């Protein structure tokens, strides 16, 4: 605890004034001044070394999550699993970070930003909007690794231009040499396995130019997460970002543009010099909300510097059902106004909706597999035991699914065939649609082929055996409609019956998609292993 010299009360950092403020007499002190002139505790003999600081380490007995604080107030709930328990505490000497971005946004700013964001979330559960739940927002400094790169030397690369001369294409190759002076600082990646990459990326960026030299006084009144992810985990990613930006700037310059320099090759050949990674603390307002069953948790975070909000927002099924019902009525009336709903067209509409459901369900299953196994979180994956084959899974890669592109083409062809058959009664249309369905299902079985095209999005395919638990429903509905199209019975009753059966299966599959969305926006209760990995290193 930081003690006021004037009255002996505790002092806390005030984001609005950017000062340590006494809760009793209102005295103000600069955190840096207090750090250099006083001990953190009342006994000056307890002053720690310059490269460490003394703090209270609090550990959740349920999930193992750890928080640091310079206050002596006991924490009564866990920010990571949302449980209302008294956290175990002990004195710990922590490595002193190099930098800190103090909280700029006050608690009131955080609550206002969060309430404003939830106003747009019409289908969010009411529990997430309760004031007693919102009051659990806690200010936590999250550890971030800060990377720097520079290039101040001669650089050689190649260029190529082409032009037509008569029947020939003339290519000219150039060897280019230039002096480059580039410097990058402040490329940041979170250094805690308890702070998932997708949340940290959602509230980025932090403005590193507003950072200050670390002083423990900034932590007074707040908490800090422990750092357990090695600096080497994200160093390559940071270097790629810097190299790509530098290559883009060079390729757009007048000198390079006229020689046809390839940006991708330029980024690969541009060898930037890496500085030693620095450890920093960035401000985050953090909230954990348990669901009604108490077996899953959703997070909401607010950037304590900029006020940017990101949240896991499940969907309240009752609200969603009522909203869909209200929307379905005008859509149905509009379709009847613009299009005469014949039995054949009814089947076409149900099949198209079923195909959309298949594609959405397939993608959701892939995302859930990646999300729940944390394959898109490099920090978490770096701490897993590489010899534990039971838990070993291939990390998610940044790829564009060639299978997804083929799927879209097949779907487009099928839709065209359905429309032509329904409008013009083209023969063999039913057989052609069945053939198209075969290629569609084949592409879904192996959604990410070996042929990778363009770097675009993180996707990891789930096992097809797991997907079939959901995909069989739209497939069954589509099969029922296709059977009637192929058999072409005389009575319209068969068409309407097939359309109703198909829509039941499609509605069932969309209900599953909604459930999958809620799985994607809630997380299993965390169970952290022993924390405290390599805190301060440069490999």
């Amino acid at each position: 605890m930081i003690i006021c010299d004037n009255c002996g009360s505790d002092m806390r950092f005030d984001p609005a004034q950017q000062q340590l403020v006494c809760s009793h007499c209102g005295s103000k002190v600069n955190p840096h001044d207090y750090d250099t002139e006083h001990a953190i505790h009342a006994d000056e003999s307890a002053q720690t070394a310059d490269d460490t600081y003394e703090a209270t380490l609090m550990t959740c007995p349920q999930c193992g999550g750890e928080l640091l604080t310079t206050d002596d107030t006991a924490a009564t709930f866990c920010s990571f699993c949302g449980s209302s328990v008294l956290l175990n505490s002990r004195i710990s000497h922590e490595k002193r970070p190099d930098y800190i971005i103090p909280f700029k946004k006050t608690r009131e700013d955080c609550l206002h930003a969060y309430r404003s964001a939830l106003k747009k979330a019409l289908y969010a559960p009411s529990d997430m909007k309760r004031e007693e739940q919102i009051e659990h927002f806690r200010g936590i400094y999250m550890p971030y690794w800060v990377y720097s790169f520079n290039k101040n030397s001669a650089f050689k690369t190649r260029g190529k231009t082409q032009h037509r001369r008569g029947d020939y294409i003339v290519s000219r190759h150039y060897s280019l040499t230039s002096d480059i002076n580039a410097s990058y600082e402040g490329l940041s990646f979170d250094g805690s396995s308890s702070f998932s990459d997708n949340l940290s990326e959602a509230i980025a960026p932090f403005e590193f130019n507003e950072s200050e030299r670390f002083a423990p006084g900034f932590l007074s009144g707040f908490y800090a997460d422990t750092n357990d992810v090695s600096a080497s985990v994200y160093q390559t990613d940071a270097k790629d970002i810097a190299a790509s930006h530098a290559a883009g700037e060079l390729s757009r310059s007048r000198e390079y543009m006229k020689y046809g320099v390839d940006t991708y090759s330029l980024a690969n050949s541009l060898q930037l010099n890496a500085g030693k990674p620095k450890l920093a603390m960035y401000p985050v307002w953090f909230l954990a909300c348990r669901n009604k069953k108490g077996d899953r948790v959703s997070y909401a975070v607010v950037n304590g510097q900029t006020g940017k909000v990101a949240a896991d927002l499940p969907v309240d099924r009752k609200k969603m059902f009522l909203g869909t019902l209200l929307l379905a009525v005008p859509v149905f009336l509009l379709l009847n106004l613009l299009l005469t709903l014949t039995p054949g067209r009814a089947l076409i509409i149900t099949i198209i909706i079923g195909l959309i459901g298949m594609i959405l369900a397939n993608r959701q299953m892939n995302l859930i597999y990646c999300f729940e196994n944390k394959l898109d979180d490099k920090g978490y994956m770096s701490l897993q035991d590489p010899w534990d084959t039971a838990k070993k899974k291939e990390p998610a890669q940044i790829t564009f699914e060639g299978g997804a592109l083929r799927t879209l083409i097949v779907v487009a062809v099928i839709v065209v065939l359905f429309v032509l058959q329904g409008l013009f009664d083209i023969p063999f249309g039913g057989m052609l649609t069945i053939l198209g369905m075969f290629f569609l299902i084949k592409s879904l079985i192996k959604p990410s082929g070996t042929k990778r095209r363009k770097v675009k999005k993180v996707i990891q395919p789930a096992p097809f055996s797991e997907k079939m638990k959901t995909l069989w429903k739209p497939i069954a509905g589509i099969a029922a409609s296709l059977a009637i199209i192929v058999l072409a019975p005389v009575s319209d009753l068969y068409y309407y019956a097939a359309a109703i059966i198909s829509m039941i299966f499609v509605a069932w599959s969309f209900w599953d998609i909604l459930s999958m969305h809620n799985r994607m926006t809630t997380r299993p209760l965390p169970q952290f292993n022993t924390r405290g990995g390599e805190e301060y290193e440069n490999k």
Side-chain angles (χ1 to χ4, degrees), residues 43 53 69 91 143 145 176 187 193 195 220 271 273 306 314 324 333 342 426-427 439 450 453 526 530:
D43 183 8
Y53 70 100
T69 180
I91 299 298
W145 285 111
L176 307 175
L187 295 171
S193 62
F195 192 31
S220 184
Q271 297 298 319
N273 302 314
T306 65
T324 304
L333 296 175
T342 63
I426 295 178
F439 288 107
T450 55
R453 299 193 51 162
T530 302

Side-chain angles (χ1 to χ4, degrees), residues 50 66 128 165 203 374 390 475 480:
D50 290 341
E66 294 179 350
M128 297 188 68
R165 181 183 296 170
I203 60 172
K374 298 188 178 181
I475 291 175

Side-chain angles (χ1 to χ4, degrees), residues 165-185:
R165 181 183 296 170
D167 295 334
Y168 299 94
I169 296 178
V170 179
S171 299
R172 292 183 177 179
H173 299 266
Y174 303 91
S175 179
L176 307 175
T177 302
S178 58
D179 291 327
I180 294 179
N181 186 3
S183 178
Y184 292 88
E185 187 177 10

Side-chain angles (χ1 to χ4, degrees), residues 214-229:
F214 176 81
F218 288 107
L219 271 59
S220 184
F222 297 94
Y223 294 85
D225 192 9
T226 54
N227 168 53
D228 59 353
V229 175

Side-chain angles (χ1 to χ4, degrees), residues 309-529:
V309 181
D312 298 324
L313 292 178
V315 170
D316 187 308
R317 295 186 181 186
K318 293 180 181 178
K319 294 181 180 179
M320 187 70 176
F321 178 76
L322 291 175
T324 304
L325 201 61
L326 292 175
L327 181 63
V329 174
V331 170
F332 178 78
L333 296 175
L334 182 63
L335 286 175
N336 275 280
L337 180 64
L338 301 177
L339 182 67
T340 302
L341 194 62
T342 63
R345 288 174 179 171
L347 286 181
I348 292 172
I349 292 173
T350 58
I351 291 174
I352 292 174
I353 296 175
L355 289 171
I356 295 173
M358 283 182 65
I359 295 173
L360 292 178
N362 175 70
R363 184 172 181 79
Q364 285 288 84
M365 293 295 287
N366 290 339
L367 293 175
I368 286 176
Y369 180 76
C370 184
F371 174 79
E372 295 202 335
N373 289 290
K374 298 188 178 181
L375 301 182
D376 56 349
D377 192 330
K378 292 185 68 173
Y380 175 85
M381 294 298 293
S382 69
L383 298 179
Q384 304 311 299
D385 185 0
W387 301 104
D388 189 351
T389 55
K391 296 181 180 179
K392 189 175 181 181
K393 291 182 174 67
E394 181 184 354
Q397 298 180 1
I398 302 178
T399 64
F400 178 80
E401 291 189 4
L405 182 62
R406 293 192 298 272
T407 299
L408 292 175
I409 294 174
V410 172
V411 169
V413 173
I414 292 173
V415 170
V416 171
L417 290 173
F418 284 153
V419 173
L420 291 177
Q421 185 191 27
L423 296 178
F424 303 106
D425 198 21
I426 295 178
F428 306 113
M431 297 302 295
L432 290 175
T433 55
I434 291 176
L435 182 63
M437 282 297 301
F438 169 77
F439 288 107
L440 173 62
I441 295 173
K442 183 179 179 181
S443 67
L444 291 175
I445 293 176
K446 192 176 182 181
S448 63
T450 55
K451 294 182 180 179
R452 311 232 170 180
R453 299 193 51 162
K454 180 177 170 186
V455 173
K456 192 167 182 180
K457 194 173 177 89
V458 173
I459 294 177
Q460 184 75 8
F464 186 68
S465 57
E466 294 184 14
K467 294 182 184 182
M468 278 306 296
K469 297 175 182 177
T470 298
L471 292 181
W472 74 267
K473 297 163 187 174
I475 291 175
I478 293 171
S481 297
L482 287 175
I484 297 300
I485 291 176
V486 174
L487 295 175
V490 176
S491 175
D492 290 347
L493 293 177
Y494 292 101
Y495 286 86
Y496 287 121
I500 292 173
I501 293 172
S502 180
M503 284 306 300
I504 290 174
F505 279 108
V506 168
W508 193 359
S509 67
F510 273 94
W511 187 261
D512 288 342
I513 292 172
L514 184 60
S515 300
M516 286 187 280
H517 170 80
N518 284 347
R519 282 179 63 189
M520 281 287 296
T521 51
T522 58
R523 306 159 190 266
L525 293 181
Q527 290 296 324
F528 300 111
N529 297 323

Side-chain angles (χ1 to χ4, degrees), residues 3 5 25 38 120 160 189 237 246 302 307 343 381 435 477 501 526:
I3 305 300
D5 289 341
C25 69
H38 297 76
K120 303 175 185 178
K160 178 183 177 181
F189 289 83
D237 296 312
V302 179
M381 294 298 293
L435 182 63
I501 293 172

